[in-house]
Amino acid sequence: MLVNNNTQAMSTVQQIKRPDMDPANAAASALYSGALQTAQQNITVPVAQKELDKASDRIDEAFAKTRVQLQATAPNSDVPATSVAGSARSEFTDYMTKTPAERIRDQLLKERGLTLEQLNALPVEEQNAFAKAVSERLQQQQQQQVAAKTADPQAQTVKETLAAI
């Protein structure tokens, strides 16, 4: 038999006296209700939950900062855009306005460690060879795109459907 002399614990145990319960069930029920009440009083938020709350707060804070920065860089905003965001936006806009041939030219220049000015300073034969390399790479790229479309028409249809979604 368990004996608990703690008066606080004894006060939390509810005495359940039901005539339909035998003494053993009544005692077990009383102990269970007392243990349940004690457990409910002593429940604290686990450390992991606190850490998750902190992480969630940090995510919300980062989202808010990002939103403020995006609003500050809006084209019709009165607040001037930061130089980093402005330069990234202008680089992206410049890249998207280029033709595929210009993109390939820039890629080849970067691979060879040249600038456009240096390319223009080269002899005409080397400039022609460079232009031929750009042309060949552009044709390869186009052939790959055509091959990808004709290789599996069903897969292409699925891709187009997913892209439309």
Side-chain angles (χ1 to χ4, degrees):
M1 182 169 167
L2 296 173
V3 177
N4 189 348
N5 292 330
N6 186 348
T7 57
Q8 183 182 8
M10 291 180 80
S11 67
T12 61
V13 176
Q14 296 177 352
Q15 297 295 330
I16 299 177
K17 296 192 182 212
R18 291 179 39 191
D20 61 332
M21 291 183 115
D22 64 278
N25 282 342
S29 178
L31 285 173
Y32 175 76
S33 68
L36 182 62
Q37 287 178 358
T38 303
Q40 287 175 346
Q41 290 172 356
N42 294 332
I43 287 181
T44 59
V45 178
V47 175
Q49 183 63 40
K50 289 180 182 177
E51 292 299 320
L52 285 174
D53 290 342
K54 287 180 186 177
S56 177
D57 290 343
R58 287 192 298 267
I59 290 170
D60 291 342
E61 181 182 352
F63 178 75
K65 286 180 181 178
T66 303
R67 185 172 179 193
V68 167
Q69 288 177 343
L70 288 173
Q71 288 174 346
T73 60
N76 57 0
S77 175
D78 294 338
V79 180
T82 61
S83 61
V84 174
S87 66
R89 179 178 289 197
S90 66
E91 286 179 24
F92 177 73
T93 306
D94 291 344
Y95 180 78
M96 292 308 293
T97 57
K98 290 181 181 178
T99 65
E102 290 172 334
R103 291 178 191 169
I104 290 173
R105 181 197 65 205
D106 291 345
Q107 183 181 8
L108 282 174
L109 285 171
K110 189 174 183 180
E111 287 175 5
R112 296 181 182 182
L114 296 172
T115 64
L116 191 56
E117 293 78 24
Q118 291 173 335
L119 176 65
N120 292 334
L122 291 176
V124 177
E125 295 83 23
E126 291 183 29
Q127 289 180 8
N128 290 340
F130 186 84
K132 186 177 179 181
V134 170
S135 172
E136 289 172 359
R137 190 168 293 185
L138 182 62
Q139 286 177 349
Q140 288 174 352
Q141 192 177 56
Q142 289 172 346
Q143 288 172 354
Q144 289 173 351
Q145 289 174 350
V146 169
K149 286 184 180 180
T150 59
D152 190 4
Q154 185 178 8
Q156 183 63 27
T157 306
V158 170
K159 288 179 186 177
E160 290 173 356
T161 304
L162 290 175
I165 295 174

